[in-house]
Amino acid sequence: RSSDVPPEASVRLVIDASVARAAGGENALHPTSKSCREFLSQVEETRHRVVFSARISAEWNKHQSRFARLWRLSMFQRGRVVLVYPKVRDDLNARIKEVASDAQCAAIMVKDIHLIEASLETDRVVTSLDDGVRHHFASCAAQIVEIAEVVWVNPDIIEENKTAGENDDGIG
C-alpha cells in the first residue's frame, strides 16, 4: 500500500506516450497492452509520481489510450503529477549530433531528447517501449555523461517491470 511506503521512496518517472498508447484496459489480451497497464497500475499503487512537460503532455494527449487517460486523471487527482519546464539543451543536441553513428541516428535521438531533458530535471528515469531510441542513446552514453545517468525502463520487459524506478542498470 502506498501509505506504507516512505515519501523518500517516491520516484518521479518520465513515461513516454508509447506506454500511454499501448496500455489496454482490464479486458486487453495483448501482452504489451497488459504489461503497460500493469506498469501504470503499479505506479499508481506506490508513491511514485509521473512527470509531464508541455511536450510530453502533448504527446500523451495525441496518443493515450482510454485506460491511460483515466490513469492520468487519477494521478492528477492524487497530486502525483510533477510538471516540469526543462531547459532546452542545445549543448546536448550538439553533442548527440557529434557522437551519433550517423545523421539518421542523431535525428531519432533529437526527436526524443525531451524525454531525457525532463528526466534530468527529476529522478533520471525514462519509461518507454521504444528500444530503438534507447539503443541509440546507449550508444552515446559513454561519451555524454548526462545520457549515461538516465535509467531506461521498458514495461514490456519483465525484468525491468519489477518495481518502477528500482532498476539501476542505467540506460543500456
Side-chain angles (χ1 to χ4, degrees):
R1 286 182 27 199
S2 63
S3 60
D4 298 334
V5 179
E8 59 271 10
S10 171
V11 177
R12 297 169 294 175
L13 303 164
V14 172
I15 301 177
D16 184 34
S18 63
V19 176
R21 177 180 47 240
E26 292 300 321
N27 296 324
L29 299 176
H30 192 278
T32 300
S33 295
K34 288 171 58 176
S35 27
C36 289
R37 177 189 68 233
E38 289 168 4
F39 177 84
L40 293 177
S41 295
Q42 184 178 20
V43 170
E44 188 174 23
E45 291 168 10
T46 64
R47 288 195 180 261
H48 298 322
R49 292 169 284 160
V50 61
V51 175
F52 285 105
S53 66
R55 190 158 166 203
I56 294 169
S57 289
E59 288 184 350
W60 270 64
N61 289 341
K62 185 176 180 182
H63 299 293
Q64 68 191 347
S65 67
R66 182 179 188 282
F67 177 87
R69 183 177 49 80
L70 295 173
W71 176 87
R72 183 179 178 190
L73 178 62
S74 173
M75 293 296 282
F76 267 106
Q77 290 170 339
R78 294 169 183 242
R80 305 251 307 283
V81 172
V82 177
L83 301 175
V84 296
Y85 306 91
K87 59 183 175 183
V88 175
R89 302 285 307 263
D90 291 328
D91 61 318
L92 195 53
N93 281 331
R95 285 186 285 156
I96 285 171
K97 290 173 183 175
E98 287 174 14
V99 302
S101 58
D102 58 44
Q104 182 181 8
C105 176
I108 290 168
M109 287 187 284
V110 168
K111 177 186 159 293
D112 277 345
I113 195 68
H114 64 287
L115 300 172
I116 300 291
E117 291 169 341
S119 76
L120 293 173
E121 297 286 326
T122 56
D123 293 325
R124 293 174 162 77
V125 179
V126 172
T127 304
S128 176
L129 294 175
D130 190 345
D131 284 334
V133 75
R134 174 185 184 166
H135 172 76
H136 291 311
F137 280 125
S139 71
C140 296
Q143 297 160 295
I144 304 175
V145 71
E146 295 96 322
I147 292 174
E149 294 173 349
V150 174
V151 175
W152 200 274
V153 178
N154 181 334
D156 208 24
I157 298 174
I158 293 169
E159 297 79 25
E160 295 181 10
N161 196 5
K162 289 180 252 174
T163 301
E166 290 185 7
N167 178 350
D168 61 355
D169 293 339
I171 195 164

